[in-house]
Amino acid sequence: MFSKPAVRLVLAVLALLTLCLSLTALRHPYLGIIGAVLLVLALNPMALGRSLACAARKPGFWFLVALLGALVANAVIVRLVPVKLPHISLAAEEVARLGPLKITNTLLASWVTMLVLIVIAFLGTRRMEMVPRGLQNVIEFVIESLYSFLRSILGERTGLAFPTIATLFLFILVSNWMGLLPGYLSITITRAAEHGHEAHAVHLLRSAATDLNTTLALAIGSVLMTQVYGIAVAGFPGYLLRFIKVERFAAFVHGLNGKGPRQGLGSLFYGFIDLIIGVLELFDEMTKVLSFSFRLFGNVFAGEVLLGVMIFLVPFVASLPFLGLELFVGFIQAFVFAVLTAAFIAQATAHHGAEAHATAPHHAPDGADERGLVEEPAAAPAAAHGT
Amino acid sequence: MDTEMIKNIAAGLTIALGGFAPALAIGRFAAEAMRSLGRNPESSGVVSSNMIVAIAFTEAIAIYALVVALAIKFV
């Protein structure tokens, strides 16, 4: 052979490409890839002028062997257990009916999520001890990290809004992650033929957030609770002033009365603009509902479709990185939902001057904030923050 | 040109065009975040969390496009 390793490498790549092309003529999808990996394995020591024993010491070699094994196993298993293209439907499918109430597979999945959360909470708090061990320890870790993170956004209102935000986060997180377990979208039941449609198979369980109804409900709940917290802090008339901004008009009138400094006519003009801005803020709240629900729905539904198609294309191999992606996306979406809710609550409860009586007394689980976040929320005066 | 063909083309174009601007924006977010991290590595916690929130907002626009594409294809 030629002496220089680089030339050998080039020859190896060329031989590999030729083999791939010739094998695709056989119209077998896996032979091409398997042949390519075999070639790379064989040519690896040859191209670099080393022996097989030397190449076997490198981790890259074993990665290729593992990939080869996975592809061969894939080709074998796919002959025995054929994987069908998943039946994708945007709307949730009905699995049972209680009179007029349609029970859909996503509703079942959200019930399962609720059950899991309730059981974990029950088991973890049965015998509470001062020094937590076991499940109580894990739960305390989760709650404490959430609390200290939200404290950087909400400041002194954290105690007030924490239950809502933490519930949203935990529900969406558990629901997204449970949607990746075996059983979701694989167990199907056959619905008997009824008027309107013939007998067909229906998935029994489907991740809860893949239903626009679930995400819409979560979004409406979040925005509604934001308004509730705003009213709790500022009082109903005080909160309405957020949408009917008359401060500049009041300042103008005070200027005329002599109760305050005289304002120019520009203040009147901007007062009208403030009114329009107030109405826009009202519409902003509606847009928040849409944006919350569609963000969560789109991410989880697209992930489900992607996973289904990937599993159909290259079963048992391509699903692994995409399951990892879904784990990550599920966590990020729950996190973003919670953080955005917290930010909007912080915005809604931003109150001029500290109103200590309005906030529920909270004892921050203390210890220094390890993340070193130094940003103060807009409202809380530094003195009350008490780090 | 029947309806099926146009539906397929529309679904593909929706997500392709709709994902273009958010991808550009997210790339710029990440670039600026890297730049500020390079200047001040200690601010990594603050910068990262704010970047994640901003990215989630922009990604939502791409997700709207994806949802419309899926709705065109499957509904």
Side-chain angles (χ1 to χ4, degrees), chain A residues 120-203:
Chain A
I120 291 180
F122 177 69
L123 287 178
T125 58
R126 237 187 336 180
R127 276 179 295 244
M128 305 237 331
E129 293 159 19
M130 219 30 218
V131 179
R133 309 164 50 235
L135 190 58
Q136 185 188 346
N137 207 359
V138 174
I139 295 180
E140 283 198 13
F141 165 69
V142 170
I143 302 282
E144 219 175 293
S145 353
L146 255 180
Y147 194 93
S148 65
F149 179 72
L150 288 175
R151 196 155 45 129
S152 70
I153 308 178
L154 282 168
E156 62 176 12
R157 314 285 183 199
T158 316
L160 182 67
F162 183 70
T164 306
I165 304 174
T167 307
L168 285 169
F169 175 75
L170 289 173
F171 181 80
I172 299 176
L173 183 71
V174 172
S175 140
N176 286 347
W177 278 357
M178 286 195 70
L180 301 172
L181 290 176
Y184 280 73
L185 284 183
S186 47
I187 304 179
T188 52
I189 63 174
T190 335
R191 303 222 58 212
E194 288 165 16
H195 62 277
H197 56 82
E198 68 280 0
H200 59 286
V202 147
H203 301 302

Side-chain angles (χ1 to χ4, degrees), chain A residues 97-110:
Chain A
R97 195 168 260 267
L98 281 181
L101 179 67
K102 257 180 23 166
I103 299 187
T104 57
N105 40 18
T106 47
L107 186 60
L108 260 184
S110 47

Side-chain angles (χ1 to χ4, degrees), chain A residues 326-344:
Chain A
E326 277 309 298
L327 270 177
F328 179 67
V329 165
F331 172 76
I332 289 288
Q333 286 311 309
F335 177 74
V336 161
F337 202 105
V339 163
L340 284 178
T341 309
F344 295 142

Side-chain angles (χ1 to χ4, degrees), chain A residues 88-90 149 290-292 294-295 297-299 301-302 305 332-333 335-336 339-340 344 371-375, chain B residues 42 44-50 52-53 55-61 63-64 66-68 70-72 74-75:
Chain A
I88 305 160
S89 90
L90 207 70
F149 179 72
L290 275 180
S291 118
F292 268 136
F294 270 103
R295 182 183 304 117
F297 169 68
N299 269 295
F301 180 66
V305 169
I332 289 288
Q333 286 311 309
F335 177 74
V336 161
V339 163
L340 284 178
F344 295 142
R371 300 176 94 251
L373 293 162
V374 293
E375 52 169 326
Chain B
E42 280 184 357
S44 120
V46 184
V47 169
S48 307
S49 7
N50 287 312
I52 295 269
V53 173
I55 286 185
F57 266 123
T58 3
E59 192 164 2
I61 312 289
I63 297 295
Y64 301 160
L66 180 63
V67 168
V68 170
L70 289 173
I72 292 179
F74 292 120
V75 175

Side-chain angles (χ1 to χ4, degrees), chain A residues 6 39-40 88 97 119 172 178 181 200 243 257 273 280 287 298 301 310 314-315 353 355 380:
Chain A
L39 250 185
V40 171
I88 305 160
R97 195 168 260 267
V119 162
I172 299 176
M178 286 195 70
L181 290 176
H200 59 286
F243 299 118
N257 284 351
I273 296 195
L280 274 181
T287 334
F301 180 66
M310 275 301 133
V314 190
E355 295 285 338

